[in-house]
Amino acid sequence: MNKFDKFLQLQEQISKKITQVKTLEQLESIRVSILGKKGTITSLLKNISAQIPEDRKVFGEQVNQLKRKVTEEIDRYKSNLLDAEIIEKISNNKIDVTLPLPESGIDIGKIHPISQVTEEVIEIFSDMDFYIAEGPDIEDEQHNFNALNIPDSHPARQMVDTFYLPKVNGESRLLRTHTSPVQIRTMLTKKPPIRIIAPGRTYRSDSDQTHTPMFHQVEGLVIDTDANMGQLKWVLEEFCKSFFEVSSIKMRLRPSYFPFTEPSLEVDIACHKENNQLIVGEGEDWLEVLGSGMVHPQVLRNVNLDPKVYKGFAFGMGIDRLAMLKYGMTDLRAFFDSDLRWLRHYGFRAFDIPSLSKGLSE
Ligand code: DAH
């Protein structure tokens, strides 16, 4: 036997061991026993220099070749084992997509009350044939103020604390202080009749128990040749009844002032407390829920509509406030704390999609 035949023999032995391996762990322990610090091949490598000079070169070549072959074989075998493991996992983990979700799965994630209330509002107005309109959170003074009949000198500009942003190409930029600019954008791009609501985020520099710098409003706008206050009152009454899920509601329309409506009114709904719980619809107290009015003729002119032909009514309300009133939260700031305990308590199940036919919040 050639004195280097032992390398061939060794390789055969190792190959045999490898092919008997069933798991990645077994393969790894074989690898360590051969190629690890104290492994068979590692000690042969250390032995190269101890060979007599005539043998050293061939011995070295043979050991390195053996190492390469064994390493390749281990790698190949490892990748086969990995493939087999994946295939087995897939075949053992078959998911039947037709099975109902486990109860716990549905209940882990919750829908934030603001999302839920927004959906409720959309459901009610969709039923009255309103469409959803949208506008950008970053507005300019033209849409947020000027076109809404709030010129630069107007005191209403100072009434709200606006977040101004750096100008872009000399043009003003701000975070919209209300959803009313969506009225302007809609009237500029759509022909009457218009019947839209615009829910979305709004921003004012304000923070206390009932104010947060970012909050949510929903705007409503109707433009038609015969839009009138009677319709406005009906729409708002229907909305309040549906939203608070009561069959009748005592409402009060109070004269007010907004630059973009004339006349302007604020809507209060009657309420009282029972066992420390707020009951909406009847009672001696009043809750202010929204602002509204007939669209100011100047606003119509600003969007190239003839006030002699077209009339409109509009309304705006705070979604967060509606949520607080309906679901009894007392601190608005908690809405945005991302506290999981709060969300688990006040959040809604993902499948509780508001529907008028089912009852909004059932
Ligand atoms: N934009 C008003 C605000 O943020 C709310 C409002 C009042 C909207 C009257 C309207 C309206 O469309 O007609 O306070």
Side-chain angles (χ1 to χ4, degrees):
M1 173 166 126
N2 178 322
K3 60 176 155 187
F4 296 119
D5 278 355
K6 64 171 181 200
F7 290 113
L8 254 179
Q9 264 179 9
L10 190 56
Q11 191 186 332
E12 273 165 19
Q13 277 171 16
I14 294 176
S15 288
K16 203 167 158 205
K17 264 197 198 163
I18 292 178
T19 47
Q20 281 165 0
V21 149
K22 293 271 177 299
T23 66
L24 284 166
E25 290 80 49
Q26 287 170 359
L27 185 66
E28 177 60 11
S29 75
I30 289 185
R31 193 192 65 78
V32 171
S33 73
I34 300 164
L35 299 166
K37 260 191 185 160
K38 292 185 178 147
T40 339
I41 295 185
T42 315
S43 17
L44 285 174
L45 282 167
K46 282 185 193 150
N47 251 332
I48 298 177
S49 56
Q51 301 302 311
I52 51 165
E54 302 89 86
D55 284 353
R56 209 172 288 156
K57 185 161 175 272
V58 186
F59 187 92
E61 276 171 12
Q62 293 286 331
V63 182
N64 276 304
Q65 197 183 12
L66 176 64
K67 182 182 173 189
R68 204 177 52 246
K69 282 196 174 146
V70 168
T71 310
E72 272 171 20
E73 197 165 352
I74 291 181
D75 286 349
R76 197 166 352 103
Y77 212 78
K78 186 171 177 183
S79 115
N80 289 347
L81 278 176
L82 275 173
D83 285 351
E85 203 170 83
I86 290 172
I87 289 168
E88 181 167 317
K89 252 194 199 152
I90 293 174
S91 54
N92 286 343
N93 274 340
K94 275 194 191 135
I95 296 171
D96 182 350
V97 291
T98 62
L99 285 174
L101 274 179
E103 192 69 23
S104 57
I106 311 174
D107 284 320
I108 291 170
K110 292 281 182 187
I111 303 292
H112 195 285
I114 291 180
S115 305
Q116 187 79 6
V117 167
T118 305
E119 287 303 320
E120 292 182 16
V121 172
I122 290 174
E123 169 72 7
I124 297 168
F125 283 107
S126 303
D127 197 54
M128 292 194 244
D129 227 4
F130 281 64
Y131 285 74
I132 296 181
E134 281 181 317
D137 287 22
I138 296 179
E139 265 297 0
D140 49 37
E141 292 186 68
Q142 180 57 23
H143 291 89
N144 195 78
F145 293 126
N146 299 344
L148 285 162
N149 203 28
I150 319 174
D152 216 358
S153 55
H154 202 285
R157 284 239 189 159
Q158 276 74 55
M159 273 157 50
V160 296
D161 269 325
T162 309
F163 286 115
Y164 286 95
L165 302 173
K167 289 190 172 174
V168 176
N169 298 331
E171 281 179 31
S172 66
R173 287 284 182 276
L174 48 84
L175 293 178
R176 66 177 178 190
T177 57
H178 49 179
T179 41
S180 304
V182 186
Q183 288 189 28
I184 301 298
R185 290 185 178 273
T186 308
M187 288 188 283
L188 284 171
T189 51
K190 297 265 177 324
K191 282 208 165 71
I194 291 171
R195 212 178 297 147
I196 57 112
I197 55 162
R201 292 196 174 106
T202 46
Y203 307 83
R204 291 180 200 176
S205 181
D206 219 346
S207 183
D208 59 36
Q209 199 175 347
T210 52
H211 295 90
T212 48
M214 190 277 295
F215 57 106
H216 299 79
Q217 286 191 339
V218 58
E219 192 77 13
L221 174 71
V222 171
I223 304 282
D224 211 333
T225 47
D226 62 352
N228 59 55
M229 287 266 266
Q231 295 168 355
L232 170 63
K233 183 167 178 265
W234 182 84
V235 165
L236 296 179
E237 245 168 31
E238 285 306 301
F239 168 75
C240 290
K241 277 194 295 189
S242 299
F243 181 76
F244 290 107
E245 299 177 60
V246 290
S247 51
S248 73
I249 202 156
K250 202 162 99 191
M251 270 171 72
R252 176 171 82 174
L253 306 184
R254 204 162 23 85
S256 183
Y257 173 75
F258 300 102
F260 35 89
T261 43
E262 181 55 40
S264 303
L265 33 111
E266 262 169 294
V267 178
D268 299 336
I269 53 177
C271 66
H272 65 280
K273 280 214 162 150
E274 240 174 62
N275 303 329
N276 227 2
Q277 232 197 329
L278 186 72
I279 310 287
V280 170
E282 293 162 44
E284 296 311 309
D285 292 329
W286 294 100
L287 270 176
E288 187 187 311
V289 281
L290 55 94
S292 68
M294 298 303 294
V295 178
H296 197 292
Q298 187 54 44
V299 173
L300 293 173
R301 269 185 242 113
N302 290 346
V303 292
N304 311 314
L305 289 176
D306 183 352
K308 289 204 189 74
V309 180
Y310 291 110
K311 314 272 171 255
F313 60 82
F315 50 88
M317 49 198 156
I319 292 181
D320 323 63
R321 187 173 151 74
L322 287 177
M324 288 171 85
L325 291 176
K326 183 164 176 179
Y327 294 111
M329 302 92 159
T330 49
D331 193 331
L332 181 57
R333 290 167 298 195
F335 277 59
F336 309 113
D337 280 347
S338 302
D339 183 334
L340 268 181
R341 289 163 307 176
W342 185 89
L343 195 57
R344 284 198 189 109
H345 181 75
Y346 286 111
F348 292 81
R349 296 175 76 236
F351 289 156
D352 289 344
I353 298 163
S355 130
L356 279 178
S357 51
K358 250 184 13 171
L360 269 193
S361 56
E362 303 224 318

